[in-house]
């Protein structure tokens, strides 16, 4: 897009530069900035990226978009061959630029928007791999699913034929803004659980917030997990939205049948409206079977053949830190699922651990965040799941993780098999001092607990 387009959309001011110049690539980090990039200074809680505008020019940026900077006469003379655009708020500006960029693709451009309490990133990954069997596809990298990450994903649109965009939220109104930028043609809600229940107050409110994804759609086409209780109820009660269903338990358009769960993969028969074919998912756990049939549903809606859907599922690779499995030379298997945690994802990971053919099953669990008044109760429920799944050793760290410990002991875990530590260093030392060949060790906590640092040290 041209400088004049950016100025028009953002109501910005051109300080210096050619209004007809084109801006093709955007960057918010001077450390990875490439020559000819347009640098956008994002103001965070602790630092204002706009102050690095000159560093961006020194690294080869052709333009900068900044806020609240006073330029001297010398500044303007020194960088007279560059472009400086000043806006009132750079975060609002990137939303407006991304909205315009999306509009340039046209209404027929396929965008799959993915949200849900659990499994957004892994579902996005597998949907993208399926869609890419037919279309050149852009997908959200990692979990860049917020009001900054999503616009920068849209900025990467070039010659793609489709996009799979992950959308996250913690509060009401956040998804509403994201969907109006991305304008999905198909929206996916993977589930409604307890993530962010501390902010939203109830699962019913979480569903309401998730349904904001429909606001950006010209034609409302929604794909849902029909086995999730609240989504199933929504499907039964709402006929003004075109809803497509996938599931295992409830009758759905796309079903997984004859499921065989192995340690490192799963096999099932995919039934798409009566047409059946066998599929192998390259990651273990029943939740990845759900992800696979979700992707199959999207593939069906986008006109893929069963062979394309099958190949897309069978060749997908998981984003790192999500069920990232490493077998060490000492015979220990590390399961790194440390990126994020809610009760539902804890439950799924513990069930996966329970199904492994290991000598000992060890769960290293930390706090789940943003649960508010529900925090104690939901951590206690995790402890119940630990005992129910007959985990051999429980290791916990975190202010609320003590409730996991208390609950697991109450449900019958022997005291000598339950361990609580004050910090990550103590957890790491305990694991190293006690692991044995044949152990499978799960690491699971909210990202802020930084359990991935423990894993990185153990893998050295």
């Amino acid at each position: 897009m041209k400088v004049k387009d950016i100025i028009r959309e953002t109501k910005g001011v051109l300080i210096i530069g050619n209004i007809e110049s084109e801006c093709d690539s955007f960057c918010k980090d001077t450390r990875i900035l490439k020559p000819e990039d347009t640098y956008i200074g994002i103001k965070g809680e602790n630092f204002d990226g706009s102050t690095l505008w000159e560093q961006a020019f020194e690294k080869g940026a052709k333009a900068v978009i900044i806020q609240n900077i006073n330029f001297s006469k010398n500044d303007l003379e020194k960088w007279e061959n560059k472009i400086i655009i000043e806006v009132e708020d750079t975060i609002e500006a990137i939303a407006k630029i991304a909205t315009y960029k999306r509009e340039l693709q046209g209404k027929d451009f396929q965008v799959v928007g993915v949200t849900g309490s659990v499994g957004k990133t892994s579902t996005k990954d597998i949907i993208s791999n399926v869609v890419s069997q037919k279309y050149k596809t852009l997908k959200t990298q990692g979990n860049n699913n917020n009001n900054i990450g999503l616009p920068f994903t849209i900025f990467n649109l070039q010659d793609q034929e489709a996009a799979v965009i992950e959308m996250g939220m913690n509060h009401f109104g956040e998804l509403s803004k994201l969907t109006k930028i991305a304008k999905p043609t198909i929206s996916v809600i993977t589930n409604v659980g307890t993530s962010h229940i501390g902010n939203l107050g109830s699962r019913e409110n979480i569903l309401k917030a998730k349904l904001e994804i429909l606001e950006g759609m010209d034609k409302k086409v929604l794909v849902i997990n029909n086995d999730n209780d609240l989504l199933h109820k929504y499907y039964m009660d709402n006929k003004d939205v075109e809803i497509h269903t996938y599931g295992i338990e409830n009758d759905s358009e796309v079903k997984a049948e004859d499921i065989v769960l192995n340690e490192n993969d799963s096999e099932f028969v995919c039934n798409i409206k009566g047409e059946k074919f066998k599929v192998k998912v390259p990651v273990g756990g029943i939740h990845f079977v759900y992800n696979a049939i979700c992707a199959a549903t999207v593939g069906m809606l986008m006109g893929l053949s069963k062979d394309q859907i099958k190949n897309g599922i069978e060749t997908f690779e998981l984003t790192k830190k999500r069920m990232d499995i490493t077998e060490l030379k000492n015979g220990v298997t590390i399961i790194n699922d440390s990126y994020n945690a809610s009760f539902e994802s804890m439950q799924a990971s513990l069930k996966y651990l329970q199904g492994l053919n290991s000598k000992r099953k060890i769960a290293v669990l930390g706090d789940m965040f943003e649960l508010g008044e529900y925090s104690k109760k939901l951590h206690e429920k995790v402890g119940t799941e630990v005992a129910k799944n007959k985990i051999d050793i429980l290791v916990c760290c975190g202010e609320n993780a003590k409730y996991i410990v208390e609950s697991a002991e109450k449900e019958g875990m022997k005291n000598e098999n339950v361990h609580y530590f004050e910090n990550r260093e103590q957890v790491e030392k305990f694991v190293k001092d006690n692991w044995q060949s044949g152990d499978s060790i799960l690491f699971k906590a909210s990202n802020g607990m930084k359990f991935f640092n423990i894993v990185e040290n153990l893998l050295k």
Side-chain angles (χ1 to χ4, degrees):
M1 65 186 77
K2 292 188 175 183
V3 170
K4 64 182 181 183
D5 299 322
I6 294 173
I7 291 171
R8 182 187 66 247
E9 297 300 321
T10 63
K11 295 181 170 57
V13 175
L14 182 64
I15 304 298
I16 54 172
N18 183 352
I19 201 166
E20 294 293 335
S21 293
E22 293 187 354
C23 297
D24 297 320
S25 55
F26 297 83
C27 180
K28 59 181 172 62
D29 188 340
T30 56
R31 293 169 297 183
I32 58 173
L33 185 141
K34 302 186 297 295
E36 297 300 297
D37 277 355
T38 294
Y39 173 73
I40 305 178
I42 302 296
K43 185 173 183 178
E45 291 183 12
N46 303 312
F47 186 76
D48 187 353
S50 288
T51 61
L52 298 179
W53 68 272
E54 194 159 23
Q55 187 180 116
F57 280 151
E58 288 168 352
K59 291 201 167 187
K62 73 182 296 184
V64 295
I65 302 174
I66 45 79
Q67 67 181 59
N68 297 328
I69 297 294
N70 293 318
F71 299 99
S72 69
K73 184 179 178 183
N74 287 340
D75 289 336
L76 302 183
E77 288 176 354
K78 181 179 179 180
W79 302 109
E80 62 181 351
N81 294 323
K82 300 286 189 175
I83 299 162
I84 299 176
I85 300 170
E86 187 170 31
V87 296
E88 188 172 328
D89 185 310
T90 52
I91 292 179
E92 288 185 12
I94 61 171
K96 291 171 181 174
I97 297 168
T99 301
Y100 177 65
K101 177 89 171 178
R102 167 65 181 97
E103 288 172 355
L104 291 176
Q105 313 304 311
K107 290 184 178 181
D108 294 333
F109 183 78
Q110 299 264 34
V111 174
V112 182
V114 182
T115 193
S117 293
V118 184
K120 290 184 293 296
T121 299
S122 53
T123 307
K124 172 263 299 178
D125 285 339
I126 196 167
I127 291 173
S128 175
N129 208 56
V130 167
V131 172
S132 66
Q133 304 303 307
K134 182 174 182 178
Y135 304 98
K136 186 173 182 180
T137 305
L138 172 73
K139 74 169 182 176
T140 302
Q141 294 301 310
N143 71 311
N144 290 307
N145 60 21
N146 63 8
N147 63 328
I148 296 172
L150 184 142
F152 275 91
T153 297
I154 300 288
F155 293 157
N156 290 324
L157 281 171
Q158 293 177 340
D159 60 345
Q160 294 91 350
E161 300 166 304
V164 182
I165 307 292
E166 181 179 336
M167 300 184 194
M169 66 91 207
N170 300 331
H171 297 86
F172 283 119
E174 292 177 342
L175 213 53
S176 177
K177 292 177 182 177
L178 298 182
T179 187
K180 288 169 185 173
I181 297 170
K183 296 194 73 67
T185 51
I186 298 172
S187 286
V188 174
I189 303 180
T190 61
N191 44 54
V192 177
T194 55
S195 295
H196 317 303
I197 196 168
N199 299 334
L200 291 158
S202 68
R203 289 183 66 229
E204 287 73 18
N205 279 347
I206 293 171
L207 171 62
K208 187 177 178 181
K210 296 294 182 191
L211 288 168
E212 289 176 7
I213 198 170
L214 299 174
E215 294 175 14
M217 305 185 74
D218 291 326
K219 180 185 178 185
K220 292 175 173 50
V221 179
L222 180 62
V223 172
I224 63 159
N225 175 353
N226 201 27
D227 290 346
N228 181 269
D229 57 344
L230 292 186
L231 288 172
H232 177 70
K233 184 177 186 303
Y234 177 79
Y235 167 60
M236 299 302 291
D237 293 345
N238 288 271
K239 303 304 177 187
D240 57 336
V241 176
E242 183 184 321
I243 302 176
H244 299 272
T245 58
Y246 64 91
I248 297 171
E249 299 166 7
N250 290 324
D251 188 34
S252 305
E253 280 181 84
V254 178
K255 290 196 73 176
E257 301 171 346
D258 302 329
I259 300 167
V260 178
L261 298 176
N262 304 314
E263 282 199 22
N264 298 316
D265 56 50
S266 302
E267 300 171 78
F268 67 93
V269 173
C270 185
N271 182 346
I272 302 179
K273 294 182 175 180
E275 185 177 12
K276 301 182 180 184
F277 54 95
K278 286 188 176 181
V279 178
K280 186 172 184 177
V281 187
V283 182
I286 190 69
H287 44 308
F288 283 97
V289 175
Y290 276 102
N291 293 349
I293 54 177
C294 175
T297 309
V298 173
M300 170 193 75
L301 294 173
M302 294 182 67
L304 275 71
S305 68
K306 67 178 184 182
D307 288 338
Q308 289 171 324
I309 292 171
K310 176 182 171 71
N311 192 57
I313 293 170
E314 294 186 342
T315 61
F316 103 99
E317 294 181 0
L318 196 61
T319 293
K320 293 297 181 185
K321 296 184 194 168
R322 287 170 168 80
M323 293 298 284
D324 191 13
I325 300 169
T326 305
E327 294 184 13
L328 304 182
K329 291 179 181 178
N330 62 0
V332 172
T333 298
I334 299 288
I335 305 159
N336 181 10
D337 199 15
S338 62
Y339 175 72
N340 227 330
S342 65
F343 168 70
E344 290 78 16
S345 64
M346 284 275 197
Q347 185 182 41
S349 294
L350 288 166
K351 188 174 182 181
Y352 170 76
L353 180 63
Q354 189 273 331
L356 297 179
N357 184 25
S358 307
K359 286 184 179 178
R360 295 191 305 175
K361 292 145 189 171
I362 302 172
V364 182
L365 308 180
D367 285 0
M368 304 177 291
F369 292 169
E370 295 185 348
L371 300 179
E373 63 184 283
Y374 297 88
S375 187
K376 182 175 184 289
K377 178 182 176 183
L378 289 169
H379 282 87
E380 287 173 342
K381 285 182 70 176
V382 171
T384 301
E385 292 294 317
V386 170
K388 186 171 83 174
N389 285 286
K390 295 181 170 57
I391 303 305
D392 296 300
I393 297 175
L394 172 65
V395 181
C396 286
C397 174
E399 184 180 344
N400 289 297
K402 62 179 180 285
Y403 299 122
I404 300 176
V405 167
E406 292 172 3
S407 175
E409 290 178 334
K410 184 179 177 183
E411 294 293 330
M413 272 195 86
K414 293 180 180 178
N415 184 263
E416 62 265 27
N417 294 330
V418 179
H419 307 272
Y420 178 82
F421 296 103
E422 296 292 334
N423 56 55
R424 295 193 304 271
E425 290 74 23
Q426 292 172 345
V427 171
E428 182 183 329
K429 184 178 186 306
F430 175 84
V431 172
K432 275 186 176 178
D433 289 346
N434 291 278
W435 60 11
Q436 300 173 12
S437 180
D439 286 347
S440 288
I441 309 176
L442 167 71
F443 290 83
K444 182 78 175 166
S446 282
N447 194 43
M449 294 297 295
K450 298 185 178 179
F451 273 23
F452 51 83
N453 286 341
I454 303 175
V455 174
E456 286 168 3
N457 290 334
L458 294 174
L459 296 181
K460 287 179 181 176

